[in-house]
Amino acid sequence: MSRITGKKHYAQIMFILLIFMLFTFSGVSALLLAVNSYRNIIQSETETATYRNKVSYLREVIHQKDIKGQISVKKIDGNDALVIDVSEDFAQYIYVSDGYLRELLAKKDADISLDFGEKIMEAESLDITMDENVLDIKVTDADGAVYS
């Protein structure tokens, strides 16, 4: 009789261990899913913040000087540059060079070089087109994402 009871006892312990392992596996799986979901949300928020920073900076600069004739597009060393007339003698240049969006305040007639500007943020390229009064700006970051 004790032999039958021992087998029953062994089966009960195995059943309890199996349920415990199943519960542990379910808990760890749920935790991993939550961590992965959280990681995706953070990545999405980071991308959105990057987009807002790059685009809002350019948008603010343009809105501050949004007077007819004060904004133009110029090629400097083969790169597009946004040129904003600040005064009669000075202009603000916004362009991409060496992996950064840069800004430079210089005399209009000065011979400028792309490495003179102050680094604003990381960017791979800046494509600017201006048709009459419509300005289209596209900023490409190091990952290849395009912001406009």
Side-chain angles (χ1 to χ4, degrees), residues 27-70:
V28 170
S29 296
L31 183 66
L32 290 176
L33 286 173
V35 166
N36 198 22
S37 176
Y38 179 74
R39 184 180 302 135
N40 290 339
I41 290 169
I42 294 300
Q43 181 180 359
S44 175
E45 288 297 319
T46 302
E47 290 171 2
T48 302
T50 300
Y51 165 77
R52 282 193 304 251
N53 286 342
K54 290 181 181 183
V55 173
S56 67
Y57 171 76
L58 291 171
R59 193 174 289 147
E60 269 308 305
V61 168
I62 291 167
H63 283 303
Q64 288 174 356
K65 303 294 181 185
D66 193 14
I67 299 172
K68 188 172 181 148
Q70 282 195 320

